Amino acid sequence: MLDGALSAARSGAGRRAPSLRLRLLAIVLLLAAALLGLAGAAVWQAHEASRGRAVTQMLGITRVLAQLVDGEFARAEAVLQGVATDPRIAAGDVDAFLAAARRVARALDGYALAMAEAPGRQLANSLTGRAPPETPMPGGLDEVFRTGRTAISDLYPGSVTGRPNVAIAVPVLPAEGEAPRYAIGLTLNRDRLREALARQHLPEGAVAAVLDRQRVVVARTRREEAVVGRRATPPVIEGLAANEAGLFEGIVNQDGEVSVVAYARAPATGYAVAIAVPEATFARERNAALRRLAFGAAPV
Protein backbone atom coordinates (compact mmCIF):
# COMPACT_ATOMS: atom_id res chain seq x y z
CA MET A 1 0.00 0.00 0.00
CA LEU A 2 2.88 2.31 0.84
CA ASP A 3 4.49 1.55 -2.48
CA GLY A 4 1.26 2.53 -4.30
CA ALA A 5 1.06 5.88 -2.49
CA LEU A 6 4.66 6.69 -3.30
CA SER A 7 4.10 5.80 -6.95
CA ALA A 8 1.02 8.08 -7.17
CA ALA A 9 2.93 10.91 -5.55
CA ARG A 10 5.80 10.55 -7.99
CA SER A 11 3.28 10.49 -10.93
CA GLY A 12 1.54 13.69 -9.73
CA ALA A 13 4.83 15.40 -9.29
CA GLY A 14 5.67 14.56 -12.91
CA ARG A 15 2.67 16.49 -14.20
CA ARG A 16 3.36 20.21 -14.08
CA ALA A 17 0.59 22.70 -13.41
CA PRO A 18 -0.06 25.16 -16.30
CA SER A 19 2.34 28.07 -16.19
CA LEU A 20 1.17 31.59 -15.39
CA ARG A 21 1.93 32.59 -19.00
CA LEU A 22 -0.39 29.93 -20.39
CA ARG A 23 -3.11 30.86 -17.96
CA LEU A 24 -2.85 34.54 -18.89
CA LEU A 25 -2.86 33.63 -22.57
CA ALA A 26 -6.01 31.55 -22.14
CA ILE A 27 -7.70 34.42 -20.31
CA VAL A 28 -6.70 36.89 -23.05
CA LEU A 29 -7.96 34.55 -25.77
CA LEU A 30 -11.28 34.10 -24.00
CA LEU A 31 -11.68 37.83 -23.52
CA ALA A 32 -10.72 38.52 -27.15
CA ALA A 33 -13.20 35.91 -28.40
CA ALA A 34 -15.96 37.36 -26.21
CA LEU A 35 -15.24 40.93 -27.35
CA LEU A 36 -15.03 39.85 -30.99
CA GLY A 37 -18.39 38.08 -30.63
CA LEU A 38 -19.96 41.19 -29.11
CA ALA A 39 -18.48 43.37 -31.85
CA GLY A 40 -19.75 40.96 -34.51
CA ALA A 41 -23.25 41.06 -33.01
CA ALA A 42 -23.11 44.87 -32.97
CA VAL A 43 -22.05 44.96 -36.62
CA TRP A 44 -24.85 42.54 -37.52
CA GLN A 45 -27.45 44.63 -35.70
CA ALA A 46 -26.15 47.84 -37.27
CA HIS A 47 -26.37 46.22 -40.69
CA GLU A 48 -29.94 45.05 -40.06
CA ALA A 49 -30.91 48.59 -38.99
CA SER A 50 -29.22 50.01 -42.11
CA ARG A 51 -30.99 47.41 -44.25
CA GLY A 52 -34.34 48.41 -42.75
CA ARG A 53 -33.70 52.06 -43.60
CA ALA A 54 -32.66 51.13 -47.14
CA VAL A 55 -35.81 49.05 -47.66
CA THR A 56 -38.01 51.91 -46.41
CA GLN A 57 -36.17 54.28 -48.74
CA MET A 58 -36.82 51.88 -51.63
CA LEU A 59 -40.54 52.20 -51.09
CA GLY A 60 -40.29 56.00 -51.07
CA ILE A 61 -38.29 56.02 -54.31
CA THR A 62 -40.83 53.70 -55.91
CA ARG A 63 -43.66 56.12 -55.07
CA VAL A 64 -41.68 59.00 -56.58
CA LEU A 65 -41.04 57.02 -59.77
CA ALA A 66 -44.74 56.19 -60.09
CA GLN A 67 -45.47 59.92 -59.98
CA LEU A 68 -42.84 60.51 -62.67
CA VAL A 69 -44.55 57.96 -64.95
CA ASP A 70 -47.83 59.83 -64.51
CA GLY A 71 -45.94 63.02 -65.33
CA GLU A 72 -44.70 61.65 -68.67
CA PHE A 73 -48.26 60.80 -69.70
CA ALA A 74 -49.52 64.19 -68.49
CA ARG A 75 -46.86 65.94 -70.58
CA ALA A 76 -47.89 63.96 -73.67
CA GLU A 77 -51.57 64.72 -73.01
CA ALA A 78 -50.83 68.45 -72.80
CA VAL A 79 -49.03 68.33 -76.17
CA LEU A 80 -51.95 66.51 -77.79
CA GLN A 81 -54.51 68.90 -76.39
CA GLY A 82 -52.54 71.79 -77.83
CA VAL A 83 -52.61 70.21 -81.30
CA ALA A 84 -56.30 69.29 -80.95
CA THR A 85 -57.32 72.95 -80.68
CA ASP A 86 -56.59 73.48 -84.39
CA PRO A 87 -60.03 73.96 -86.04
CA ARG A 88 -58.75 72.46 -89.30
CA ILE A 89 -57.98 69.18 -87.54
CA ALA A 90 -61.41 69.30 -85.87
CA ALA A 91 -62.83 69.51 -89.41
CA GLY A 92 -60.88 66.39 -90.45
CA ASP A 93 -58.04 68.07 -92.40
CA VAL A 94 -55.40 65.32 -92.49
CA ASP A 95 -52.79 67.53 -94.18
CA ALA A 96 -53.12 70.14 -91.42
CA PHE A 97 -52.65 67.38 -88.84
CA LEU A 98 -49.54 66.00 -90.57
CA ALA A 99 -47.94 69.44 -90.73
CA ALA A 100 -48.58 70.03 -87.03
CA ALA A 101 -47.59 66.46 -86.05
CA ARG A 102 -44.21 66.61 -87.78
CA ARG A 103 -43.37 69.90 -86.10
CA VAL A 104 -44.31 68.50 -82.70
CA ALA A 105 -42.51 65.17 -83.30
CA ARG A 106 -39.27 67.00 -84.15
CA ALA A 107 -39.59 69.16 -81.04
CA LEU A 108 -40.24 66.12 -78.85
CA ASP A 109 -37.28 64.15 -80.26
CA GLY A 110 -38.75 60.92 -81.49
CA TYR A 111 -42.37 60.91 -80.42
CA ALA A 112 -44.81 59.78 -83.13
CA LEU A 113 -48.27 61.33 -83.50
CA ALA A 114 -51.30 59.84 -85.25
CA MET A 115 -54.80 60.92 -86.21
CA ALA A 116 -57.81 58.59 -86.14
CA GLU A 117 -61.46 58.65 -87.10
CA ALA A 118 -64.35 57.06 -85.23
CA PRO A 119 -64.90 54.24 -84.48
CA GLY A 120 -61.13 53.57 -84.44
CA ARG A 121 -59.57 53.82 -87.93
CA GLN A 122 -56.15 55.44 -88.17
CA LEU A 123 -55.96 58.13 -90.86
CA ALA A 124 -52.33 59.27 -90.72
CA ASN A 125 -49.20 59.39 -88.58
CA SER A 126 -46.08 61.50 -88.46
CA LEU A 127 -43.80 58.59 -89.46
CA THR A 128 -45.38 57.44 -92.73
CA GLY A 129 -48.00 60.05 -93.65
CA ARG A 130 -51.47 58.90 -94.65
CA ALA A 131 -52.30 55.44 -93.36
CA PRO A 132 -53.57 52.59 -95.56
CA PRO A 133 -57.34 52.07 -95.43
CA GLU A 134 -58.71 50.25 -92.40
CA THR A 135 -55.55 50.69 -90.33
CA PRO A 136 -56.74 50.22 -86.72
CA MET A 137 -55.79 52.31 -83.72
CA PRO A 138 -53.66 50.63 -81.05
CA GLY A 139 -55.68 48.45 -78.71
CA GLY A 140 -57.57 50.32 -76.02
CA LEU A 141 -57.27 53.78 -77.56
CA ASP A 142 -60.56 53.51 -79.45
CA GLU A 143 -62.36 54.06 -76.15
CA VAL A 144 -61.56 57.75 -76.65
CA PHE A 145 -64.56 57.82 -79.01
CA ARG A 146 -66.87 56.01 -76.58
CA THR A 147 -66.01 58.09 -73.54
CA GLY A 148 -64.94 61.40 -75.05
CA ARG A 149 -62.01 61.39 -72.60
CA THR A 150 -58.28 60.73 -72.76
CA ALA A 151 -57.40 57.07 -73.33
CA ILE A 152 -54.14 55.26 -72.52
CA SER A 153 -52.95 51.98 -74.03
CA ASP A 154 -51.09 49.10 -72.50
CA LEU A 155 -47.98 47.75 -74.23
CA TYR A 156 -48.60 46.82 -77.89
CA PRO A 157 -46.45 46.10 -80.99
CA GLY A 158 -46.12 49.21 -83.18
CA SER A 159 -47.78 48.90 -86.59
CA VAL A 160 -44.95 50.82 -88.28
CA THR A 161 -41.80 49.93 -86.35
CA GLY A 162 -42.88 46.63 -84.81
CA ARG A 163 -41.31 47.76 -81.55
CA PRO A 164 -43.28 47.52 -78.29
CA ASN A 165 -45.01 50.84 -77.65
CA VAL A 166 -47.37 52.61 -75.30
CA ALA A 167 -49.60 55.46 -76.46
CA ILE A 168 -52.10 58.06 -75.32
CA ALA A 169 -55.00 59.60 -77.29
CA VAL A 170 -57.27 62.63 -76.78
CA PRO A 171 -60.49 63.51 -78.58
CA VAL A 172 -60.44 66.41 -81.02
CA LEU A 173 -63.03 68.74 -79.53
CA PRO A 174 -66.35 68.24 -81.32
CA ALA A 175 -69.21 70.68 -81.64
CA GLU A 176 -71.35 71.15 -78.55
CA GLY A 177 -73.35 68.04 -77.73
CA GLU A 178 -71.72 65.83 -80.37
CA ALA A 179 -69.63 62.70 -79.86
CA PRO A 180 -65.97 62.98 -80.93
CA ARG A 181 -65.42 62.18 -84.60
CA TYR A 182 -61.65 62.51 -84.62
CA ALA A 183 -58.87 61.83 -82.13
CA ILE A 184 -55.14 62.31 -82.10
CA GLY A 185 -52.66 60.11 -80.32
CA LEU A 186 -49.02 60.10 -79.35
CA THR A 187 -46.62 57.19 -78.93
CA LEU A 188 -44.45 57.69 -75.87
CA ASN A 189 -40.73 57.26 -76.21
CA ARG A 190 -40.02 54.34 -73.86
CA ASP A 191 -36.41 55.49 -73.60
CA ARG A 192 -37.69 58.50 -71.65
CA LEU A 193 -39.44 56.20 -69.19
CA ARG A 194 -36.28 54.18 -68.68
CA GLU A 195 -34.18 57.34 -68.30
CA ALA A 196 -36.67 58.72 -65.75
CA LEU A 197 -36.07 55.59 -63.68
CA ALA A 198 -32.30 55.68 -64.08
CA ARG A 199 -32.04 59.38 -63.10
CA GLN A 200 -33.18 58.59 -59.57
CA HIS A 201 -30.70 57.56 -56.89
CA LEU A 202 -31.52 53.86 -56.92
CA PRO A 203 -30.00 51.61 -54.24
CA GLU A 204 -26.83 49.73 -55.15
CA GLY A 205 -27.61 46.69 -57.30
CA ALA A 206 -31.22 47.78 -57.86
CA VAL A 207 -33.20 47.27 -61.06
CA ALA A 208 -36.35 49.32 -61.69
CA ALA A 209 -39.20 48.66 -64.12
CA VAL A 210 -42.36 50.37 -65.39
CA LEU A 211 -45.43 48.11 -65.64
CA ASP A 212 -48.59 48.77 -67.64
CA ARG A 213 -52.08 48.11 -66.29
CA GLN A 214 -51.82 44.44 -67.27
CA ARG A 215 -48.55 44.38 -65.23
CA VAL A 216 -46.47 43.79 -68.34
CA VAL A 217 -42.96 45.30 -68.29
CA VAL A 218 -42.84 48.46 -70.46
CA ALA A 219 -39.36 49.77 -69.59
CA ARG A 220 -36.50 48.56 -67.37
CA THR A 221 -33.13 49.87 -66.25
CA ARG A 222 -31.31 46.56 -66.86
CA ARG A 223 -31.70 43.72 -69.38
CA GLU A 224 -34.62 45.59 -70.88
CA GLU A 225 -34.73 43.79 -74.22
CA ALA A 226 -34.96 40.41 -72.50
CA VAL A 227 -37.76 41.42 -70.14
CA VAL A 228 -40.00 43.97 -71.94
CA GLY A 229 -43.30 42.31 -72.82
CA ARG A 230 -43.14 39.82 -69.93
CA ARG A 231 -45.54 40.02 -67.01
CA ALA A 232 -44.29 40.91 -63.55
CA THR A 233 -43.80 38.16 -60.99
CA PRO A 234 -47.04 36.84 -59.38
CA PRO A 235 -46.44 38.41 -55.92
CA VAL A 236 -46.07 41.87 -57.49
CA ILE A 237 -49.21 41.39 -59.62
CA GLU A 238 -51.17 40.28 -56.56
CA GLY A 239 -49.74 43.09 -54.43
CA LEU A 240 -50.71 45.77 -56.95
CA ALA A 241 -54.22 44.32 -57.20
CA ALA A 242 -54.67 44.76 -53.46
CA ASN A 243 -52.56 47.81 -52.52
CA GLU A 244 -51.29 51.06 -53.99
CA ALA A 245 -47.79 50.33 -52.71
CA GLY A 246 -45.94 47.70 -50.73
CA LEU A 247 -42.87 45.53 -50.15
CA PHE A 248 -41.95 41.89 -50.51
CA GLU A 249 -38.83 40.20 -49.18
CA GLY A 250 -37.28 36.96 -50.35
CA ILE A 251 -39.05 36.67 -53.72
CA VAL A 252 -37.37 35.79 -57.01
CA ASN A 253 -37.24 38.66 -59.50
CA GLN A 254 -37.26 38.36 -63.29
CA ASP A 255 -33.48 37.93 -63.33
CA GLY A 256 -33.81 34.82 -61.14
CA GLU A 257 -32.35 36.56 -58.07
CA VAL A 258 -33.85 36.34 -54.58
CA SER A 259 -34.65 39.97 -53.88
CA VAL A 260 -36.41 42.62 -51.85
CA VAL A 261 -39.06 44.16 -54.13
CA ALA A 262 -40.91 47.47 -53.64
CA TYR A 263 -43.84 48.44 -55.84
CA ALA A 264 -46.18 51.43 -56.25
CA ARG A 265 -49.13 52.17 -58.51
CA ALA A 266 -49.27 55.45 -60.45
CA PRO A 267 -52.51 57.09 -59.29
CA ALA A 268 -53.55 58.81 -62.55
CA THR A 269 -52.71 56.22 -65.22
CA GLY A 270 -52.87 52.93 -63.31
CA TYR A 271 -49.35 52.07 -64.48
CA ALA A 272 -46.91 50.93 -61.80
CA VAL A 273 -43.23 50.91 -60.88
CA ALA A 274 -41.29 48.11 -59.17
CA ILE A 275 -37.75 48.16 -57.77
CA ALA A 276 -35.84 44.97 -56.90
CA VAL A 277 -32.61 44.77 -54.88
CA PRO A 278 -31.01 41.29 -54.65
CA GLU A 279 -30.61 39.91 -51.14
CA ALA A 280 -27.01 39.14 -52.15
CA THR A 281 -26.35 42.90 -52.27
CA PHE A 282 -27.37 43.29 -48.61
CA ALA A 283 -25.43 40.14 -47.62
CA ARG A 284 -22.32 41.38 -49.44
CA GLU A 285 -22.31 44.63 -47.45
CA ARG A 286 -22.83 42.76 -44.16
CA ASN A 287 -20.09 40.21 -44.90
CA ALA A 288 -17.66 42.95 -45.92
CA ALA A 289 -18.24 44.68 -42.56
CA LEU A 290 -17.63 41.42 -40.68
CA ARG A 291 -14.42 40.78 -42.64
CA ARG A 292 -13.16 44.26 -41.78
CA LEU A 293 -13.89 43.54 -38.14
CA ALA A 294 -12.03 40.22 -38.27
CA PHE A 295 -8.99 41.77 -39.96
CA GLY A 296 -8.96 44.58 -37.40
CA ALA A 297 -9.12 42.11 -34.51
CA ALA A 298 -6.39 39.81 -35.86
CA PRO A 299 -3.44 41.87 -34.43
CA VAL A 300 -5.06 41.77 -30.98
Side-chain angles (χ1 to χ4, degrees), residues 88-89 92-103 115 124 130:
R88 296 172 299 171
I89 297 175
D93 188 333
V94 175
D95 291 329
F97 163 75
L98 285 172
R102 285 169 179 150
R103 288 195 302 270
M115 179 178 179
R130 289 178 179 269

Side-chain angles (χ1 to χ4, degrees), residues 11-298:
S11 175
R15 291 195 302 270
R16 288 186 173 183
S19 69
L20 180 60
R21 179 181 298 176
L22 289 176
R23 290 177 179 176
L24 290 175
L25 180 59
I27 292 171
V28 168
L29 288 175
L30 287 172
L31 288 174
L35 291 173
L36 187 59
L38 289 173
V43 168
W44 191 287
Q45 290 176 348
H47 171 268
E48 289 301 308
S50 175
R51 182 183 186 278
R53 290 191 296 271
V55 168
T56 302
Q57 185 182 35
M58 277 177 62
L59 185 57
I61 292 172
T62 308
R63 292 180 186 273
V64 170
L65 291 177
Q67 295 283 352
L68 288 178
V69 170
D70 270 355
E72 285 296 318
F73 279 100
R75 177 172 180 262
E77 183 179 19
V79 169
L80 290 175
Q81 289 175 339
V83 176
T85 58
D86 189 330
R88 296 172 299 171
I89 297 175
D93 188 333
V94 175
D95 291 329
F97 163 75
L98 285 172
R102 285 169 179 150
R103 288 195 302 270
V104 171
R106 282 195 298 271
L108 292 177
D109 188 24
Y111 283 71
L113 280 77
M115 179 178 179
E117 181 182 37
R121 182 174 71 89
Q122 191 175 148
L123 298 175
N125 64 71
S126 59
L127 294 178
T128 61
R130 289 178 179 269
E134 306 308 321
T135 301
M137 294 178 72
L141 290 186
D142 54 353
E143 72 178 45
V144 71
F145 295 112
R146 295 192 295 271
T147 65
R149 296 192 299 269
T150 299
I152 295 173
S153 80
D154 291 313
L155 192 71
Y156 68 93
S159 58
V160 176
T161 64
R163 295 186 61 202
N165 289 327
V166 292
I168 181 172
V170 302
V172 177
L173 296 178
E176 186 68 29
E178 293 182 4
R181 184 177 175 187
Y182 299 103
I184 54 176
L186 185 152
T187 301
L188 270 73
N189 187 338
R190 289 190 305 106
D191 292 342
R192 284 184 60 87
L193 294 176
R194 184 181 63 253
E195 290 163 5
L197 301 181
R199 279 196 301 269
Q200 300 305 303
H201 296 292
L202 298 176
E204 181 184 352
V207 57
V210 177
L211 312 174
D212 68 14
R213 291 165 301 186
Q214 301 302 316
R215 306 312 171 211
V216 171
V217 177
V218 169
R220 199 170 189 258
T221 56
R222 191 172 69 219
R223 295 185 66 242
E224 184 180 71
E225 293 304 320
V227 177
V228 165
R230 288 168 49 185
R231 296 198 79 197
T233 56
V236 172
I237 294 172
E238 293 165 8
L240 284 166
N243 306 293
E244 290 187 359
L247 281 164
F248 288 108
E249 298 194 33
I251 68 172
V252 178
N253 69 6
Q254 291 180 315
D255 294 323
E257 300 170 317
V258 178
S259 303
V260 177
V261 178
Y263 61 87
R265 189 165 62 236
T269 61
Y271 272 52
V273 172
I275 298 177
V277 176
E279 290 282 5
T281 299
F282 294 112
R284 186 164 55 247
E285 294 173 357
R286 179 196 63 218
N287 295 340
L290 291 174
R291 282 195 299 271
R292 288 193 296 271
L293 174 64
F295 291 147

